[in-house]
Amino acid sequence: MARHGGGRGWYGKVVGAALGVTVLAVGASVWTAQAESVGAASPRATASATPGAVRPVDVTIAHASDAGARGVNITIDDGPDPAWTPQVLDLLREYGVKATFCVTGTQAQAHPDLVKDVVAAGHRLCDHTVSHDTAMDRKSEAYQSREILDAERMIIEASGGVRPMYYRAPGGAFTPYSRKLAASHGMRPLGWNVDTKDFERPGADAIVATVERELSNGPTLLFHDAGGDRSQTVEALRRVLPWLRDQGYSFGFPVR
């Protein structure tokens, strides 16, 4: 869930020099369709990654959509959860929307079938750390490294070999070190522009109103599919997704 009000308080943390880290190669299968196409069908396995095959990405925090100026990014945090993730997946499928799922290592390890369902539907994965520690920006670099890299490994194992393409710090608790580390593993740091505050369960009407009011802030919307009762999120998405399309928006993924 978000830690900073409106999802904006962490912007000031992205400045400063970052410590260099060595790229750690992880052998795993990758899915071409997931990485290359917003509207692709179920991903297809390609050859296993070879040592050194992971390409570093930009260390800056991404907000823009690869769908262009009228694109929006639906991002779903904290899962997967056996009660709510299937309902979110059903809605996304109903409206033909691809989303980015920011999963925690513990949830991925507990529910690997759901991680595979996310991938099979053409959605992208994001590393949301092992334990969702919103104070990790105040912890040691060794701790940050364990949280990010252990979660990456757990997600790859749960997904059957699919790498997370982004890294979202819990509560926006990014540091120059964590951004550099994630980027060196091919995971673009991922922010948000619209914090729906759905984790507070303010009611579906309030969640929808927040999206309508704050969409001008930017294209990346933050929702949650775990961490408690997410029935309000499901109802809000049922209304938000067609509304966005009616307003002339298209659905994309965060830029890499």
Side-chain angles (χ1 to χ4, degrees):
M1 65 180 67
R3 179 185 65 182
H4 304 292
R8 300 186 191 89
W10 44 264
Y11 280 106
K13 297 181 181 179
V14 302
V15 294
L19 295 176
V21 295
T22 302
V23 176
L24 303 177
V26 182
S29 298
V30 296
W31 299 80
T32 309
Q34 183 195 40
E36 300 297 336
S37 175
V38 171
S42 297
R44 296 169 300 177
T46 62
S48 297
T50 56
V54 178
R55 291 187 300 175
V57 293
D58 197 319
V59 301
T60 61
I61 298 175
H63 298 90
S65 176
D66 65 5
R70 295 290 289 178
V72 292
N73 307 318
I74 303 298
T75 65
I76 313 290
D77 281 22
D78 296 359
D81 180 275
W84 306 110
T85 302
Q87 295 185 52
V88 171
L89 287 172
D90 286 346
L91 279 175
L92 295 172
R93 180 168 52 251
E94 179 179 350
Y95 292 105
V97 175
K98 302 303 181 189
T100 300
F101 283 77
C102 299
V103 304
T104 67
T106 53
Q107 290 297 102
Q109 191 172 59
H111 307 291
D113 289 346
L114 289 176
V115 179
K116 292 180 178 69
D117 288 345
V118 167
V119 172
H123 306 295
R124 288 185 178 179
L125 298 175
C126 171
D127 181 329
H128 204 33
T129 73
V130 173
S131 63
H132 198 279
D133 182 355
T134 59
M136 64 180 291
D137 55 336
R138 296 191 287 271
K139 305 290 179 62
S140 70
E141 291 178 355
Y143 177 87
Q144 294 176 52
S145 178
R146 288 194 302 272
E147 281 287 315
I148 295 168
L149 299 186
D150 284 356
E152 179 192 34
R153 173 185 53 77
M154 294 160 82
I155 292 167
I156 290 171
E157 291 175 354
S159 67
V162 179
R163 296 178 184 278
M165 299 178 70
Y166 308 92
Y167 163 65
R168 175 173 274 169
F174 289 101
T175 66
Y177 175 81
S178 69
R179 290 188 294 111
K180 182 75 172 181
L181 177 63
S184 74
H185 281 249
M187 297 182 289
R188 179 76 183 267
L190 176 59
W192 63 83
N193 304 105
V194 180
D195 180 358
T196 66
K197 299 293 181 67
D198 64 329
F199 66 90
E200 296 178 353
R201 297 197 290 275
D205 288 346
I207 297 169
V208 172
T210 297
V211 173
E212 295 176 349
R213 182 179 64 251
E214 298 188 10
L215 187 57
S216 60
N217 292 342
T220 301
L221 282 58
L222 172 61
F223 298 91
H224 296 80
D225 64 342
D229 184 342
R230 294 291 161 243
S231 57
Q232 294 178 9
T233 299
V234 171
E235 177 57 29
L237 282 169
R238 191 183 310 278
R239 294 156 56 182
V240 163
L241 297 179
W243 178 84
L244 287 167
R245 207 176 287 284
D246 289 346
Q247 298 302 306
Y249 290 96
S250 56
F251 297 95
F253 291 118
V255 295
R256 290 252 301 153

